[in-house]
Amino acid sequence: MQKSNFSVTTFKKLLSNANKIDKSDYESRTISRSKVKEYISSYFFKIIDCDYELVFHNVMNNSFDYYKSDRYLNRFFDAKKNKWLSNFITDSEFYYVTVNPSKPSIYHDNNCHYLNMFNGIVRKYKEYDTFDKKTKSSVDIVLEYLENIICNSNKISFDYLIQYLYRVVTYQKVPIAMYLNSEHKGIGKSTFVKVISKIIGTSGVQKLSTSCLNEDAFKSELINTYFGYFEELPCSSKSNYMNIMSFLKTLITDPTVVVKRKHKTAINIKNSINLLFISNNFNALQFDNETRRFFAPDVSHSMKNNIKYFTRLNNAIDSDKFADCFFNYLKTKFNRKWNCTNVPKTSILNDLKTSYVPKVQLFLIENFVKKNKSIDIRSTLLYKKIAFETDLTVNAIGRILKSIGITTIKRKSERFFVISLKYLKSILKKYMSEFDEVDDIDDIDDIDEDEVDDIVEVDDIVEVDEVDEVDE
């Protein structure tokens, strides 16, 4: 029998019946009071890890309302005359608030009690081969789109994407964010969101605003969001951007997330959110050495603005039984041993990583480290070379080199840069991790300047005039 919503009339009737029973009839009174306790405890719950004390479960729409104190219940009865009930409420066991697609609204696990805020769609498993040919052809159309457009016909990226999608549509948290980046519009990036929405339901997919990434912002939109996506990340300042990226790392990897809600204090919920970033702007995300958190397939623009192609694709996504069929197709491809951290190497990800490396450091890596060359060059000539390739002033180059530990020595009457390859690798190690071509980075130990024969006492950088032309 389906549970009905809480009724004040029913509650007061049960309470009145319990209070009518004489103390001498201990057994009947105990049973009657137990009915009152059972009724109220099936709707109201005391919670832990939260500034709120009491949660009401609204059965009609499977939602939860939060209250500051368990004294909220005093409006339904006289606490002084019913101390036994008041004490019962005070001493009730605590519940944890969570979001778990595989569990009912209220459940118990490992001696802990949970209130489950999940309200998404749970698809039923069914043999893929039992679906009709027309439905499976719709799935084939979408698979072709995922492989040839989203992954640009890269089989490694496509195989990774299929494993990623299965986790997403079964509400599993993947500590990797997906990034679809291309300067081209009308190539199908947003259609990817539609595919996921069809399977887990639009209520579980949320277009997130950048405001929710600010530390003090309200984040109620994160509740019951299992797939969140951003379109661009506009920022007012560099510090604002750094704060956003810091919270993004938390949102991508942490098992729990603190949700702030307007006019209400924060609650701590299980982090079930998988993230997608869509952008036409190459620098929408500034990558550093944390790129291991991102899967960025090379998106093809071969079908750009192809109305016929995208009409056929959208018809397939909107067709009857597509969602169930695609879900069960993913189940057939499930690989238990899949390692989400083994992110495919793609051109766009490499370009994005390389773009993070500062210009001077990149010059040194490209012209010395990757060519296994030490530095032994007149200082004015090195300044000229770097200035020619980076458009930086010589003074700026000098300051940058000095800041990373590269300084001049005096040889006869001139200044030279004399740096061993080993020392050069050691100071550029964190930048070189972005390049696949450098194989022995991890074997480099930290080196003290005193241990390097080629390094002598540091002198001030000799400033030279900026030049327009490099001449050996």
Side-chain angles (χ1 to χ4, degrees):
M1 185 177 177
Q2 188 175 359
K3 179 180 173 183
S4 60
N5 214 7
F6 177 76
S7 167
V8 176
T9 301
T10 301
F11 168 72
K12 288 185 175 180
K13 184 177 180 180
L14 290 171
L15 181 60
S16 177
N17 291 339
N19 288 334
K20 287 178 182 178
I21 300 175
D22 191 84
K23 292 181 181 181
S24 59
D25 191 353
Y26 177 79
E27 184 176 352
S28 296
R29 191 176 69 160
T30 300
I31 293 174
S32 189
R33 285 186 173 184
S34 294
K35 290 181 179 179
V36 178
K37 295 175 182 178
E38 182 180 343
Y39 186 76
I40 201 167
S41 61
S42 63
Y43 295 97
F44 292 91
F45 307 89
K46 296 188 69 174
I47 53 178
I48 199 168
D49 283 348
C50 181
D51 290 337
Y52 288 88
E53 286 189 7
L54 191 71
V55 170
F56 167 65
H57 181 215
N58 189 324
V59 178
M60 298 301 291
N61 57 15
N62 194 29
S63 63
F64 295 96
D65 298 324
Y66 295 80
Y67 300 99
K68 271 288 187 182
S69 170
D70 57 24
R71 287 191 297 273
Y72 169 81
L73 291 172
N74 291 352
R75 65 178 61 191
F76 303 134
F77 69 98
D78 190 327
K80 291 183 179 179
K81 292 181 179 180
N82 296 278
K83 286 186 177 181
W84 62 272
L85 181 56
S86 183
N87 291 336
F88 165 75
I89 294 170
T90 301
D91 299 334
S92 294
E93 295 187 55
F94 285 97
Y95 282 71
Y96 291 92
V97 176
T98 188
V99 178
N100 194 327
S102 63
K103 298 290 185 179
S105 298
I106 302 163
Y107 68 97
H108 311 280
D109 191 18
N110 293 327
N111 297 319
C112 293
H113 309 291
Y114 295 92
L115 298 180
N116 186 12
M117 302 176 71
F118 173 76
N119 66 357
I121 298 173
V122 178
R123 299 275 171 196
K124 293 182 179 180
Y125 292 112
K126 180 181 176 181
E127 289 295 327
Y128 176 69
D129 290 338
T130 62
F131 287 92
D132 61 86
K133 187 177 180 179
K134 183 179 179 181
T135 301
K136 287 194 285 188
S137 68
S138 296
V139 170
D140 290 339
I141 291 171
V142 173
L143 290 173
E144 184 273 336
Y145 153 76
L146 293 174
E147 181 172 12
N148 296 334
I149 302 300
I150 295 300
C151 296
N152 196 25
S153 303
N154 184 313
K155 189 178 186 307
I156 295 175
S157 291
F158 177 65
D159 290 343
Y160 184 95
L161 177 60
I162 292 299
Q163 297 303 319
Y164 169 82
L165 282 175
Y166 177 75
R167 272 76 181 178
V168 170
V169 301
T170 52
Y171 304 100
Q172 299 177 51
K173 171 65 177 173
V174 182
I176 298 291
M178 192 168 171
Y179 187 33
L180 299 181
N181 182 285
S182 174
E183 62 180 346
H184 298 279
K185 298 180 181 180
I187 62 175
K189 297 190 294 292
S190 298
T191 305
F192 182 77
V193 176
K194 182 177 181 179
V195 174
I196 294 177
S197 299
K198 275 290 180 179
I199 302 173
I200 67 176
T202 54
S203 61
V205 177
Q206 182 84 253
K207 181 178 178 181
L208 300 174
S209 62
T210 53
S211 61
C212 80
L213 298 177
N214 294 322
E215 185 178 355
D216 298 324
F218 301 117
K219 299 179 177 68
S220 57
E221 61 192 297
L222 299 181
I223 298 177
N224 277 314
T225 295
Y226 315 109
F227 190 81
Y229 67 99
F230 295 90
E231 292 183 344
E232 309 298 348
L233 285 174
C235 302
S236 58
S237 65
K238 183 176 180 180
S239 61
N240 176 238
Y241 185 86
M242 295 306 293
N243 290 335
I244 284 177
M245 290 304 293
S246 176
F247 182 73
L248 274 182
K249 293 173 184 177
T250 297
L251 201 56
I252 292 169
T253 59
D254 283 12
T256 60
V257 59
V258 177
V259 176
K260 295 182 179 181
R261 301 173 303 156
K262 198 169 185 178
H263 305 309
K264 299 178 181 179
T265 49
I267 59 174
N268 198 348
I269 65 170
K270 179 181 177 181
N271 183 4
S272 300
I273 305 167
N274 288 300
L275 292 177
L276 166 70
F277 299 89
I278 302 174
S279 178
N280 299 315
N281 179 6
F282 181 77
N283 293 313
L285 289 178
Q286 295 292 317
F287 285 92
D288 55 14
N289 60 351
E290 303 297 337
T291 48
R292 65 184 184 275
R293 291 189 173 97
F294 292 88
F295 166 48
D298 295 315
V299 184
S300 169
H301 58 271
S302 60
M303 292 297 172
K304 181 177 180 179
N305 296 326
N306 189 322
I307 297 175
K308 183 178 179 180
Y309 174 84
F310 286 107
T311 298
R312 179 171 175 262
L313 175 61
N314 280 283
N315 288 339
I317 298 170
D318 292 332
S319 63
D320 293 339
K321 302 179 184 178
F322 162 76
D324 288 326
C325 188
F326 187 70
F327 173 84
N328 284 282
Y329 167 84
L330 293 174
K331 177 66 170 68
T332 67
K333 300 298 180 182
F334 171 62
N335 180 3
R336 194 177 300 277
K337 295 181 180 179
W338 179 66
N339 181 3
C340 68
T341 61
N342 189 20
V343 179
K345 297 172 182 177
T346 59
S347 297
I348 184 66
L349 188 59
N350 186 66
D351 291 344
L352 290 165
K353 288 190 291 186
T354 304
S355 69
Y356 166 74
V357 182
K359 292 180 179 180
V360 174
Q361 287 88 328
L362 181 60
F363 175 88
L364 297 175
I365 292 170
E366 294 285 357
N367 291 276
F368 294 97
V369 176
K370 290 173 70 175
K371 294 179 180 179
N372 287 318
K373 292 170 59 177
S374 59
I375 299 178
D376 190 342
I377 188 172
R378 197 168 66 250
S379 61
T380 52
L381 183 56
L382 183 63
Y383 287 137
K384 291 176 182 179
K385 284 178 173 291
I386 298 176
F388 181 76
E389 291 198 19
T390 64
D391 294 325
L392 294 172
T393 66
V394 170
N395 286 341
I397 295 168
R399 286 193 295 270
I400 293 169
L401 290 173
K402 189 174 183 179
S403 71
I404 62 175
I406 295 180
T407 54
T408 61
I409 64 171
K410 193 170 184 179
R411 182 182 286 171
K412 295 182 179 179
S413 60
E414 293 188 273
R415 311 295 301 187
F416 279 76
F417 285 105
V418 182
I419 309 294
S420 72
L421 177 62
K422 187 176 182 181
Y423 180 70
L424 191 60
K425 285 183 176 181
S426 73
I427 60 177
L428 296 174
K429 182 177 179 179
K430 71 174 183 176
Y431 302 109
M432 291 192 297
S433 65
E434 308 299 348
F435 295 90
D436 300 332
E437 293 84 353
V438 183
D439 298 323
D440 58 342
I441 300 163
D442 293 331
D443 297 329
I444 302 171
D445 298 322
D446 292 332
I447 302 175
D448 293 329
E449 283 193 11
D450 295 337
E451 298 176 0
V452 183
D453 294 334
D454 294 330
I455 303 296
V456 297
E457 187 176 350
V458 175
D459 291 305
D460 290 335
I461 293 174
V462 178
E463 297 183 356
V464 299
D465 294 332
E466 187 176 2
V467 295
D468 296 322
E469 210 170 306
V470 174
D471 187 1
E472 287 276 344

